[in-house]
């Protein structure tokens, strides 16, 4: 309930916290409930003051629930449960996957409370509701916040309804658990039914108002508004991606527990970082298609999505993005169109201007409130420019939109520290990296087969183009970083690279010239990562130059990743593998074929030229053709050596089989 000190709902994870002082909730964040609803609450209390019996309003609510269950057998779960256990705040649940009874939570830690006697009817409490972006499962934090800001309960939806949307709301919540690790769904249905019963009683004392049921817009007017908002290129982008998408791509993401919780609304924000070429965009388009299929079955679901593109960075402003999102949520609600949309159009079309960011946010949130569930998918957030803090501003806008609309927000991006920090509270966080957990030859081959050569080539081409499109100073820095990392015989620590880049003959070393690690990674457009921490410091390396991959592991056919890539003509992968010092260029498979022999047999001339000078000519005579001086080839070193095999050329597998017979 609103009072002179608060607006009924507070966003408990948004405020100011000073040492040794309670949390100060920032004023004005959440809208105040309309006076007509506040007055109705008082009128309802007065109505039941004259009804005989103790807790008359609670008895009335119980009757509503009883009738509901009696008339609808499928709602049997709405009956009042008998078991009600409250544990000490510091006693944690033993097994999250099992109930307290199943995992034997010790009853000695249950708190003794006064008996309610025969009064088992619900009781009505009025006060402040704490709304946030995460489920509260911490009893100690629960009690601390309850003491500091005097709240009755914690939840996740109320803030999205009343925050700056222009909607007049009074939040009614049914209490279903104690916000601790022992929380379960035993009381959830009963709590929802009781809250609905109270809302029914409250509406009975609210005087009805005359509300127009039509905007008066014809089809031409609706089309004019939609055309004014957006050219709808997002749909063409989605269609193109679906057409290019390999069958089965992203299924692992849809089947993940993190995505499942996000889709159900148990988690409101899902952050999915991944390196360039890891498949982030195809994951995003797979999610969009999945939700579109859900929308076809359930018209109460809405979806907005946006694909950020570095090549369109000058066009993809915050207003353009919000305009596209608004266009999509309007289309999801057709044939109905909200009056707030027509008012927005009437206001700005006459002056040939565009709405402000706040106007877009308010209208989107207002429309989203009419859907049972709203999803927002933003792909490649890192490709938005970071000039003058633009990317940071847009991230704040997305987060604000998520809170205002209570939508489920999914964001993909390269793992930049700026974006990671902004979504640091996002739980879960689901990494998208097709080679992140590839630790053996079979897995590498599976990943390569799922990742077409043209996709890998395009990913690296895009990264190079992003580097070239930067201002001269940043472009030069990126090339220096890549030069150092590709030329040094061992991996460099971040601080070593920082110092190397600022050493100049003309002046002494100064720490003022040291460049921030985030900037070193950012200017390289994803081709450089910081991915290993040692006792001496963080290591910075080129993309996929990882030490935890078994580069020379052989499968059942005796093929290593280099054998496999050479056979299928994956030139980019061969080039990448050859930069790694541990790769064995002389490895033979079960047919006696080296990577060079495979490349020659399959006609991959460019790959053969890469492998030839690096292959031991005593182990693979084909290598002699690729040394500048064919009469003087280097002598290989090492004590273990396979016996030399004299070959006039690679023998096709069929010929080998015949000779063995």
């Amino acid at each position: 309930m609103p009072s002179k000190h608060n607006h009924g709902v507070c966003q408990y994870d948004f405020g100011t916290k000073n040492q040794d002082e309670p949390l100060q909730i920032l004023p004005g964040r959440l809208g105040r409930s309309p006076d007509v609803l506040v007055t109705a609450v008082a009128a309802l209390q007065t109505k039941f003051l004259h009804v005989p019996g103790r807790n008359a309003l609670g008895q009335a609510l119980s009757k509503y629930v009883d009738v509901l269950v009696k008339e609808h057998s499928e709602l049997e779960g709405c009956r009042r449960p008998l078991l009600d256990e409250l544990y000490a705040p510091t006693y944690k649940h033993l097994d999250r996957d099992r109930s307290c009874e199943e995992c034997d939570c010790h009853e000695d830690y249950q708190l003794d409370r006064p008996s309610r006697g025969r009064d088992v009817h619900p009781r009505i409490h009025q006060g402040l509701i704490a709304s946030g972006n995460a489920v509260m499962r911490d009893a100690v934090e629960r009690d601390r916040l309850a003491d500091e800001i005097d709240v009755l309960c914690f939840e996740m939806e109320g803030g999205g309804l009343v925050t700056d949307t222009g909607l007049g709301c009074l939040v009614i919540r049914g209490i279903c658990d104690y916000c601790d690790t022992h929380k379960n769904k035993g009381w959830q249905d009963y709590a929802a039914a009781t809250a609905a019963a109270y809302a029914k009683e409250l509406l009975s004392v609210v005087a009805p108002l005359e509300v127009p049921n039509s905007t008066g817009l014809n089809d031409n007017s609706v089309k004019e508004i939609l055309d004014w908002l957006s050219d709808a290129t997002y749909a063409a982008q989605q269609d193109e991606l679906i057409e290019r998408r390999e069958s089965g791509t992203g299924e692992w993401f849809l089947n993940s527990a993190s995505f499942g919780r996000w889709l159900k609304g148990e988690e409101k924000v899902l952050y999915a970082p991944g390196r360039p070429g890891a498949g982030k965009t195809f994951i995003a388009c797979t999610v969009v298609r999945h939700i579109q299929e859900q929308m076809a079955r359930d018209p109460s679901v809405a979806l907005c999505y946006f694909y950020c593109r570095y090549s369109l960075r000058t066009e993809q402003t915050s207003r353009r993005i919000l305009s596209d999102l608004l266009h999509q949520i309007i289309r999801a609600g057709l044939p109905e169109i909200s009056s707030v949309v027509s008012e927005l159009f009437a206001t700005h079309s006459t002056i040939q201007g565009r709405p402000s960011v706040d106007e877009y946010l308010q209208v989107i949130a207002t429309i989203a409130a009419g859907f049972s569930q709203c999803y927002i998918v933003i792909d490649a957030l890192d490709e938005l420019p970071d000039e003058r803090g633009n990317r940071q501003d847009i991230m704040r806008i997305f987060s604000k939109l998520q809170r205002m609309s209570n939508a489920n927000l999914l964001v993909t991006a390269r793992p930049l520290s700026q974006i990671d920090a902004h979504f640091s509270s996002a739980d879960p966080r689901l990494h998208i990296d097709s080679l992140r957990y590839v630790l053996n030859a079979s897995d590498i081959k599976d990943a390569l087969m799922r990742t077409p050569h043209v996709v890998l080539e395009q990913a690296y081409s895009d990264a190079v183009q992003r580097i070239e499109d930067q201002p001269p100073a940043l472009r030069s820095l990126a090339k220096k970083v890549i030069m150092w990392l590709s030329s040094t015989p061992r991996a460099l620590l971040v601080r070593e690279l920082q110092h190397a880049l600022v050493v100049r003959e003309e002046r002494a070393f100064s720490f003022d010239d040291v460049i921030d690690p985030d900037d070193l990674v950012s200017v390289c457009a994803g081709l450089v990562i910081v991915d290993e921490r040692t006792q001496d410091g963080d290591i910075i390396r080129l993309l996929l130059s990882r030490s935890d991959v078994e580069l020379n592991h052989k499968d059942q056919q005796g093929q290593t990743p280099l054998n496999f890539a050479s056979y299928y003509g994956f030139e980019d992968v061969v080039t990448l593998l050859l930069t790694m010092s541990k790769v064995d260029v002389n490895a033979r498979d079960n047919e006696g074929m080296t990577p060079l022999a495979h490349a020659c047999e399959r006609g991959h001339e460019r790959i053969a030229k890469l492998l030839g000078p690096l292959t031991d000519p005593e182990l693979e005579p084909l290598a002699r053709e690729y040394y500048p001086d064919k009469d003087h080839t280097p002598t290989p070193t090492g004590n273990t050596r396979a016996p030399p095999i004299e070959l006039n050329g690679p023998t096709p597998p069929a010929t080998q089989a015949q000779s063995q017979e």
Side-chain angles (χ1 to χ4, degrees), residues 20-48:
D20 300 326
E21 294 181 7
L23 178 69
Q24 299 296 318
I25 300 297
L26 298 186
R29 285 292 301 172
L30 303 179
R32 181 180 174 83
S33 300
D35 290 339
V36 64
L37 294 180
V38 177
T39 303
V41 172
L44 186 61
Q45 290 176 321
T46 302
K47 172 184 174 181
F48 279 92

Side-chain angles (χ1 to χ4, degrees), residues 432-589:
I432 301 175
D433 194 337
S434 59
L435 294 179
R436 179 177 177 80
Y437 300 109
V438 177
L439 301 181
N440 56 56
S442 298
D443 290 343
I444 289 177
K445 292 201 296 187
D446 289 342
L448 292 177
M449 291 301 289
R450 291 194 304 267
T451 310
H453 178 266
V454 291
V455 176
L456 288 172
E457 185 173 315
Q458 186 62 46
Y460 282 97
S461 296
D462 290 345
V464 172
Q465 188 60 51
R466 284 197 295 269
I467 291 174
E468 292 294 337
D469 288 343
Q470 295 179 116
L474 299 182
R475 183 168 64 243
S476 174
L477 175 60
K479 292 180 179 180
K480 289 178 181 178
V481 170
I482 294 173
M483 179 196 70
W484 273 102
L485 295 181
S486 60
S487 302
T488 53
R490 65 166 177 83
L492 291 179
L493 299 176
V494 171
R495 68 170 182 271
E496 291 176 328
L497 178 61
Q498 288 176 300
H499 294 173
L501 290 170
V502 299
V503 171
R504 293 178 175 85
E505 294 182 2
E506 63 271 15
R507 65 179 180 182
F509 175 87
S510 172
F511 280 101
D512 293 338
D513 297 329
V514 172
I515 302 170
D516 187 270
D518 288 345
D519 293 332
L520 298 179
V521 173
S522 180
V523 297
C524 294
L527 296 182
V528 168
I529 55 173
V530 177
D531 78 334
E532 185 176 344
R533 176 160 293 182
T534 69
Q535 61 181 4
D536 297 321
D538 292 344
I539 290 178
I540 186 168
R541 64 174 82 244
L542 291 172
L543 179 64
L544 293 184
S545 177
R546 298 175 60 94
S547 59
D548 54 356
V549 177
E550 297 176 27
L551 296 174
N552 301 313
H553 183 85
K554 293 187 176 184
D555 62 8
Q556 292 180 345
Q557 287 74 43
Q559 287 193 332
T560 67
L562 185 59
N563 287 101
F564 185 85
S566 301
Y567 180 88
Y568 282 99
F570 294 140
E571 183 180 344
D572 288 343
V573 178
V574 171
T575 302
L576 180 63
L577 290 171
L578 291 179
T579 65
M580 303 177 185
S581 59
K582 296 181 181 180
V583 71
D584 184 3
V585 296
N586 301 304
R588 293 182 182 275
D589 59 20

Side-chain angles (χ1 to χ4, degrees), residues 79-321:
R79 290 190 184 277
R80 184 185 188 278
L82 298 176
L83 189 63
D84 178 17
E85 298 174 338
L86 175 61
Y87 289 88
T90 55
Y91 181 64
K92 295 183 179 180
H93 189 64
L94 300 179
D95 187 340
R96 184 172 179 176
D97 295 328
R98 295 191 296 169
S99 67
C100 290
E101 293 75 26
E102 292 172 333
C103 67
D104 297 326
C105 285
H106 207 290
E107 61 181 13
D108 288 348
Y109 290 94
Q110 291 184 22
L111 299 182
D112 293 328
R113 291 171 289 167
S115 172
R116 295 182 62 174
R118 290 183 296 175
D119 182 9
V120 294
H121 305 298
R123 294 182 181 179
I124 314 304
H125 302 270
Q126 299 175 7
L128 184 61
I129 294 175
S131 186
N133 289 322
V135 176
M136 174 64 75
R137 284 196 177 98
D138 186 335
V140 175
E141 181 71 1
R142 171 201 68 192
D143 291 347
R144 185 186 69 80
L145 286 171
D147 291 339
E148 288 188 0
I149 55 180
D150 192 23
V151 295
L152 289 175
C153 68
F154 297 84
E155 53 93 77
M156 297 176 61
E157 291 84 14
L161 283 175
V162 302
T163 177
D164 300 333
T165 62
L167 292 175
C169 300
L170 179 71
V171 178
I172 303 169
R173 304 299 299 182
I175 305 301
C176 61
D177 60 65
Y178 291 110
C179 296
D180 56 12
T181 56
H182 305 277
K183 68 183 293 138
N184 59 74
K185 296 183 178 181
W187 286 76
Q188 198 169 76
D189 292 345
Y190 173 74
T194 303
Y198 180 85
K200 182 178 177 67
E201 277 288 355
L202 183 66
L203 291 175
S204 70
V205 296
V206 176
L209 299 175
E210 194 77 30
V211 179
N213 59 5
S214 173
T215 60
L217 297 175
N218 55 36
D219 291 344
N220 290 334
S221 299
V222 172
K223 183 178 184 304
E224 185 180 6
I225 292 176
L226 292 175
D227 291 345
W228 171 72
L229 280 172
S230 170
D231 55 11
T233 55
Y234 57 83
Q237 287 178 304
Q238 172 67 11
D239 292 342
E240 179 187 358
L241 289 168
I242 289 296
E243 187 174 344
R244 292 169 49 199
R245 172 180 171 268
E246 293 291 323
S247 177
T249 299
E251 292 299 324
W252 69 268
F253 190 93
L254 299 182
N255 295 329
S256 67
S258 296
F259 177 77
R261 292 195 297 272
W262 176 82
L263 192 66
K264 294 176 184 177
E266 296 174 3
E267 306 288 352
K268 305 303 291 186
V269 179
L270 177 58
Y271 173 48
R275 300 170 185 171
K280 299 185 297 297
T281 296
F282 285 105
I283 291 292
C285 84
T286 300
V287 170
V288 169
R289 169 58 66 89
H290 182 76
I291 298 175
Q292 286 174 333
E293 293 172 351
Q294 181 181 344
M295 290 171 62
R297 300 187 299 268
D298 184 0
S300 69
V301 173
L303 165 69
C304 311
Y305 60 90
F306 194 86
Y307 293 103
C308 306
R309 293 294 174 267
Y310 185 80
S311 58
L312 302 174
R313 59 193 179 281
T314 57
E315 303 173 21
Q316 294 185 337
T317 63
S318 56
R319 292 188 184 187
R320 167 61 190 275
I321 295 172

Side-chain angles (χ1 to χ4, degrees), residues 363-403:
V363 173
I364 294 173
T366 300
I367 299 174
F371 292 91
S372 64
Q373 189 64 63
C374 181
Y375 298 95
I376 301 174
V377 178
I378 306 297
D379 175 58
L381 180 60
D382 59 283
E383 298 207 16
L384 294 178
D386 195 29
E387 300 167 4
R388 298 183 298 277
N390 288 350
R391 187 193 298 148
Q392 188 69 44
D393 290 341
I394 291 176
M395 286 192 293
R396 293 193 190 100
I397 289 171
F398 285 148
S399 295
K400 184 176 182 180
L401 176 61
Q402 185 277 319
R403 292 193 300 268

